[in-house]
Amino acid sequence: MNIIDIFETMEYGPAPEAAAPGLAWIKEHQPFGLFINNQWVKPASGKYIDSINPSTAKPLTQVAAANSKDVDAAVAAARKAFETWGKTPGHVRARYMYAIARHIQKHSRLLAVLESLDNGKPIRETRDIDIPLVARHFYYHAGWAQLMEQELPGYVPVGVVGQIIPWNFPLLMLAWKIAPALAMGNTVVLKPARYTSLTALKFAEIIQEVGLPPGVVNILTGEASQVGEALVRHPDVNKIAFTGSTDVGRSIRRATAGSGKKLSLELGGKSPFIVFDDADLDSVVEGVVDAIWFNQGQVCCAGSRLLMQEDIAERLVAKLRVRMEHLRVGDPLDKAVDIGAIVSPGQLKEIQRLVDQGVEEGAEMWQPSWACPAEGYFFPPTLFTNVSPATTIAQVEIFGPVLVAMTFRTPAEAVALANNTRYGLAASVWSENINLALDIAPKIKAGSVWINCTNLFDATSGFGGYRESGFGREGGKEGLYEYVRPAWEANETAVELPIANESTSSNGAKPRSHEEEGGEMEDGTNGYRATLPAIDRTPKMFIGGKQVRPDSGYSRDVYDPQGRVIGQVGEGNRKDLRNAVEAAHAASGWATGTTYNRAQILYYIAENLSAREDEFARRIVQQTGRLYAGASAEVQAAISRLFSYAAWSDKYEGAVHRPPLRGAVLAIPEAIGVIGMACPDEYPLLGFVSLVAPAIAMGNTVVVIPSQQSPSSATDCYQVLETSDLPSGVVNIVTGERDTLSQVLADHDDVDAMWYFGPLEGCKQVELASAGNMKRTWVSYGHTRDWLDTMQGEGEEFLRESTQVKNIWIPYGE
Ligand code: NDP
């Protein structure tokens, strides 16, 4: 071939990366052991599983198959190490993490080669994206280890963390999990995916090299049924962090329900890639290549649904086909290859099955004219057009190099199509009109939105999902909270509230009489004998801004501590809750209103509550038998709490991140949507206000089940809410049996989060039921809080639970 021929065809020659260093490393280390307490140990089962090179379909080596005995040993090692590591100063942890980052860079080429051999992804990606990002994560989190004491005062590490990662970004997912865990002082037992364990084992060697104390990081290779499940169920594990499929995420949610384990789940996606007609179509084409053919499309946030404005659809599809024709599929170690191998035969089969189904369902399939290599697990880039939004390929995560294209006419239609999925991981928006792009970004239900770019990641900017894409964030400051808990939890003591019939008060002094305290007399008249019978006040439900009768037509008695009936409230049921959830959804405009307006309304609620302070205090006395002074302090605290969240409403603002690119990332805390909440019994008014106020301050709408024992403090709020300009449906209140009602809310697919403050068994039921739509839960595990204490009863923890962070990436420059 002469130079003229080369210019004629512009064919790439081969540019192979040597496999030899990777293969030599494997040979030197096999048989691989398990990494426990900084030592290589044989698996208790004595068994090993094959590790296959997906680009040749030939075995690379074997890795140890751990079982539950190894899990016990690793957890015990991590527990022991936690005793010291959890108290190691931040600066010392930072030094270790800095060393890990440096060693990753020192071994970067070997890690890149191993990753490509083991996973099948192109060396260009492992060398230029995966491994540099791994180092970046450790550097970034070394910084948080250094700053933890100043930046997260009042927080302590969670303890022993079980981490389970998938095969699509083996070392990067390890870094996303291990770096924040170590930075916050936790110890780790990590299970890599069975297909891709090699870089985790090389990482273990790095841990030895840097001299991390034994037991801080333990790595167990093996199968899900032997290692993953045992780790999830282990009683001495304090948190599970998982990335993988939504189905497994759901089973982990169920398995950990009621255990008190903290949980973060990063699950699947079906992310939209939205192209408006004023977008730069040549950039769009390159964007699509990165969105769906990066890592063979095996990316949880892959832009797998191409949504095109109708008038440019034909042109864009034509350009895409030309580009697809020039993509190169082949040996992952060839530096001129765009698309490598699919991770396993099973995954390849699944992609083929879904593609066949797409054709059967009537969509039009297009693939380039060339053929994939015959050896190994390869699949060509594939484009579906003429796709209807309800079909399987438009809804199901294919996790392969398959793009489904649909059209829209208006921005509103684009948003509707984009959100027409149970997932909510990411989205890309393409338009040369920044006003349009920034108008669309907040309307899309997804954790990351990339404007005129796609698949950008950085440690500064948290990553994670909305809806069935899971909960919790990895990266950014928000990601740190997944690995800490409030320090006060460790010192928790039961809350004891002085009640009026005790002979002495808690400070030993004889309590003032009920009458002296301004409480009611035994006959309920407070010393005033009415000449007329009292006018009956039986509260109804509060739904959609109206007081409505309970659907059941039943009421339930409310008792005082002596067991005397002091009133009735409605017996709420499934239908009342259904109506309340509908009303809460109808009030979704609350989230898009101004924070200034929300603040004003919260102040106004406080003002109206304050006008009836005495009445509310007396009601608390009546329901709880507590002293008037204590009850009055509760009302005061509730008013102050409303002020706090009015204040926070326009101050809990998020951040502007500066990742290493020309641009900025806006990290915006957004409302979650409709939150169901079951209030604690301890403080009937303050508990109610402490939950409702942060939720609505952040733009959520709520369906509240008041304290079952003492619901009247919440029902007395109807008139306060009605006279405070609160839009209808923002707060809905359904009284009744707490656990029955909570179950309905936790099961409800249109409720986005569920908070429950009650007994442990109720917490478990809520967590179990939440797995249906993977709603976020916040439960008390049967513990009580001192709601009067501002450390425990208000602040950032409540604001975090009321929001989910969306990161909007805005690169700039021409
Ligand atoms: P899984 O969710 O099954 O696996 C992810 C990790 O979880 C692996 O380490 C796996 O172990 C482990 N695991 C599996 N089941 C359990 C369990 N019951 N308890 C504890 N750990 C468990 O993903 P797959 O590899 O099977 O891929 C299936 C589909 O999942 C893909 O087609 C894709 O749609 C989606 N997926 C999504 C990812 C994402 O990043 N969101 C990543 C990977 C897959 P082992 O490897 O031993 O099976």
Side-chain angles (χ1 to χ4, degrees), residues 137-192:
H137 256 77
F138 280 98
Y139 279 121
Y140 176 82
H141 284 95
W144 279 123
Q146 175 77 20
L147 298 177
M148 181 181 177
E149 282 144 42
Q150 298 97 302
E151 288 297 308
L152 284 96
Y155 286 94
V156 292
V158 170
V160 174
V161 181
Q163 305 186 317
I164 299 170
I165 56 172
W167 41 257
N168 55 344
F169 292 91
L171 194 63
L172 185 57
M173 289 302 106
L174 172 149
W176 281 22
K177 300 240 169 338
I178 291 187
L182 298 195
M184 296 295 102
N186 302 278
T187 56
V188 164
V189 179
L190 177 130
K191 178 207 165 331

Side-chain angles (χ1 to χ4, degrees), residues 49 163-169 173 191-196 222-225 227-232 242-249 251-252 266-269 298-301 343 347 350-351 397-400 423 425 463 469:
I49 46 178
Q163 305 186 317
I164 299 170
I165 56 172
W167 41 257
N168 55 344
F169 292 91
M173 289 302 106
K191 178 207 165 331
R194 61 163 298 181
Y195 299 128
T196 54
E223 298 191 47
S225 59
V227 189
E229 289 183 20
L231 199 50
V232 165
F242 170 80
T243 298
S245 59
T246 295
D247 285 346
V248 173
S251 77
I252 292 178
E266 201 265 275
L267 309 174
Q298 301 167 134
V299 183
C300 47
C301 53
V343 74
Q347 187 65 19
E350 179 63 5
I351 297 169
E397 182 178 44
I398 299 176
F399 228 64
Y423 298 113
L425 202 49
F463 183 86
S469 291

Side-chain angles (χ1 to χ4, degrees), residues 543-596:
I543 297 176
K546 295 198 182 71
Q547 298 190 34
V548 293
R549 281 183 212 294
D551 169 74
S552 67
Y554 286 100
S555 296
R556 58 189 291 123
D557 290 335
V558 179
Y559 300 93
D560 71 6
Q562 279 75 45
R564 294 170 301 194
V565 174
I566 51 172
Q568 279 89 29
V569 291
E571 186 74 83
N573 68 9
R574 179 177 293 273
K575 199 162 164 203
D576 298 313
L577 286 173
R578 197 187 67 195
N579 294 340
V581 172
E582 249 172 55
H585 271 287
S588 61
W590 178 247
T592 49
T594 65
T595 53
Y596 178 36

Side-chain angles (χ1 to χ4, degrees), residues 319-646:
K319 276 175 182 281
L320 262 179
R321 287 181 178 166
V322 171
R323 184 69 176 88
M324 288 167 75
E325 194 63 43
H326 288 90
L327 287 171
R328 302 186 83 229
V329 174
D331 178 6
L333 287 181
D334 182 342
K335 291 174 203 114
V337 148
D338 299 303
I339 303 179
I342 302 298
V343 74
S344 68
Q347 187 65 19
L348 186 66
K349 214 164 135 197
E350 179 63 5
I351 297 169
Q352 187 62 60
R353 185 185 74 75
L354 286 163
V355 165
D356 292 345
Q357 189 160 351
V359 173
E360 262 169 45
E361 285 177 354
E364 202 173 298
M365 189 198 62
W366 191 88
Q367 290 173 334
S369 59
W370 41 262
C372 288
E375 203 187 37
Y377 316 131
F378 291 94
F379 199 89
T382 302
L383 171 65
F384 274 105
T385 49
N386 197 22
V387 178
S388 134
T391 51
T392 310
I393 53 166
Q395 291 295 330
V396 167
E397 182 178 44
I398 299 176
F399 228 64
V402 183
L403 180 65
V404 298
M406 288 168 268
T407 58
F408 64 87
R409 289 188 184 163
T410 61
E413 212 177 290
V415 171
L417 262 181
N419 287 335
N420 179 26
T421 164
R422 61 197 177 107
Y423 298 113
L425 202 49
S428 294
V429 181
W430 294 74
S431 165
E432 290 298 289
N433 177 352
I434 190 72
N435 292 330
L436 175 64
L438 288 178
D439 182 46
I440 296 296
K443 294 179 179 159
I444 294 175
K445 294 196 189 314
S448 296
V449 179
W450 292 291
I451 293 179
N452 292 330
C453 59
T454 194
N455 274 345
L456 295 183
F457 311 98
D458 184 59
T460 51
S461 308
F463 183 86
Y466 284 27
R467 310 205 270 196
E468 291 190 35
S469 291
F471 43 77
R473 292 290 179 270
E474 297 187 298
K477 190 173 182 186
E478 63 265 36
L480 305 178
Y481 291 103
E482 302 299 332
Y483 290 97
V484 292
R485 61 189 175 86
W488 64 259
E489 278 183 11
N491 312 321
E492 185 203 355
T493 46
V495 184
E496 276 181 31
L497 302 171
I499 54 172
N501 57 3
E502 280 178 339
S503 59
T504 53
S505 68
S506 55
N507 62 12
K510 187 172 186 310
R512 296 162 71 198
S513 76
H514 222 133
E515 202 177 359
E516 285 166 336
E517 287 283 357
E520 292 192 23
M521 297 291 286
E522 282 248 314
D523 61 2
T525 62
N526 199 20
Y528 169 74
R529 287 193 191 285
T531 47
L532 292 169
I535 297 176
D536 181 68
R537 269 179 68 196
T538 301
K540 302 175 186 167
M541 307 291 166
F542 189 63
I543 297 176
K546 295 198 182 71
Q547 298 190 34
V548 293
R549 281 183 212 294
D551 169 74
S552 67
Y554 286 100
S555 296
R556 58 189 291 123
D557 290 335
V558 179
Y559 300 93
D560 71 6
Q562 279 75 45
R564 294 170 301 194
V565 174
I566 51 172
Q568 279 89 29
V569 291
E571 186 74 83
N573 68 9
R574 179 177 293 273
K575 199 162 164 203
D576 298 313
L577 286 173
R578 197 187 67 195
N579 294 340
V581 172
E582 249 172 55
H585 271 287
S588 61
W590 178 247
T592 49
T594 65
T595 53
Y596 178 36
N597 181 46
R598 295 207 288 265
Q600 281 184 309
I601 290 173
L602 281 157
Y603 282 127
Y604 201 9
I605 296 173
E607 180 187 329
N608 286 326
L609 181 58
S610 160
R612 292 168 55 186
E613 214 177 299
D614 176 60
E615 178 195 333
F616 272 86
R618 283 166 186 274
R619 179 67 94 184
I620 293 169
V621 170
Q622 185 196 28
Q623 294 175 109
T624 63
R626 279 163 41 206
L627 298 177
Y628 181 84
S632 178
E634 181 176 342
V635 182
Q636 286 295 340
I639 293 166
S640 164
R641 204 137 289 172
L642 286 160
F643 262 60
S644 289
Y645 291 111

